[in-house]
Amino acid sequence: MLVEPTAHEINPETGAMSGASGHYEKKLRDLEGLYADAAAFETHVIEQGDSVVYQVDEMRPAQVAGDLIFGTTWMRPGRIGEEFFMTRGHIHARGNRPETYYGESGAGLMLMENPEGETRIVEITPQVMVYVPPLWIHRSVNTGAVPLVMSFCYPSDSGQNYDIIARSGGMATRIFANADGWKAIPNTSYRKRTKDEVAAVYATCD
Ligand code: ZN
């Protein structure tokens, strides 16, 4: 049976998308363990409460291969110590599924890492389309002083694997504030994936 075409209005400031079929949010406590400075994290939660860091409006027309999931993500500005707020990050469970992100408002970046552990960083600002190719772990970071709002689109059978980041002690690179805005620094807790672990990631492609 044919699905009816739809149009969805996106508010570039709030990220609200009309006709969304789903909504979820992540609070600070959901992101525990992600940040380098655990003490600063606790202080932040105690002082400012367990507030929402990012939220997603999404549309999942049908859960069948070949369809798309699209929506918006809104992330508030802030830091834990000098480290900027970020999403939890993931690789697609089917590794060879790509994704696009489009800047609606604010300023941030897409932090990406391949299975071998190489990092790529792409800045995202309004009217910039970012392509996350297959097999890249990806996480967005709000490096600005206002909310970062992006719209996204990916194949509906992608799935998300969050565990790949936790197993390596985080992503290889962290994003900290400095006088120029932001800087990339090595994550001292990072453990490179073994040959077998890299092969297991490639084995998720179909
Ligand atoms: Zn993704």
Side-chain angles (χ1 to χ4, degrees), residues 108-123:
L109 52 85
M110 193 61 61
L111 176 62
M112 292 173 273
E113 178 182 315
N114 68 17
E116 291 80 2
E118 293 171 25
T119 296
R120 298 286 186 275
I121 298 169
V122 176
E123 288 191 300

Side-chain angles (χ1 to χ4, degrees), residues 90 92 99 101 138:
H90 59 259
H92 292 157
E99 185 160 4
Y101 284 87
H138 46 287

Side-chain angles (χ1 to χ4, degrees), residues 45 58 79 120-121:
V45 174
E58 62 178 14
R79 299 196 310 248
R120 298 286 186 275
I121 298 169

Side-chain angles (χ1 to χ4, degrees), residues 5-105:
T6 54
H8 303 265
E9 195 175 343
I10 291 170
N11 181 320
E13 308 299 327
T14 66
M17 184 178 77
S18 68
S21 63
H23 175 86
Y24 67 87
E25 51 190 40
K26 292 271 183 257
K27 292 184 172 179
L28 211 44
R29 274 286 176 220
D30 299 323
L31 307 170
E32 197 164 357
L34 257 55
Y35 297 92
D37 190 338
F41 179 89
E42 284 306 319
T43 303
H44 190 103
V45 174
I46 289 163
E47 288 178 355
Q48 303 197 25
D50 187 19
S51 50
V52 172
V53 175
Y54 62 95
Q55 56 187 20
V56 171
D57 270 7
E58 62 178 14
M59 173 65 177
R60 297 176 178 243
Q63 298 280 24
V64 294
D67 212 322
L68 296 169
I69 295 170
F70 59 90
T72 58
T73 167
W74 172 100
M75 179 166 32
R76 77 180 166 97
R79 299 196 310 248
I80 299 297
E82 293 305 304
E83 191 172 15
F84 287 111
F85 280 171
M86 55 187 162
T87 58
R88 204 171 152 203
H90 59 259
I91 192 168
H92 292 157
R94 286 191 167 89
N96 56 343
R97 299 298 190 268
E99 185 160 4
T100 58
Y101 284 87
Y102 180 75
E104 300 280 352
S105 65

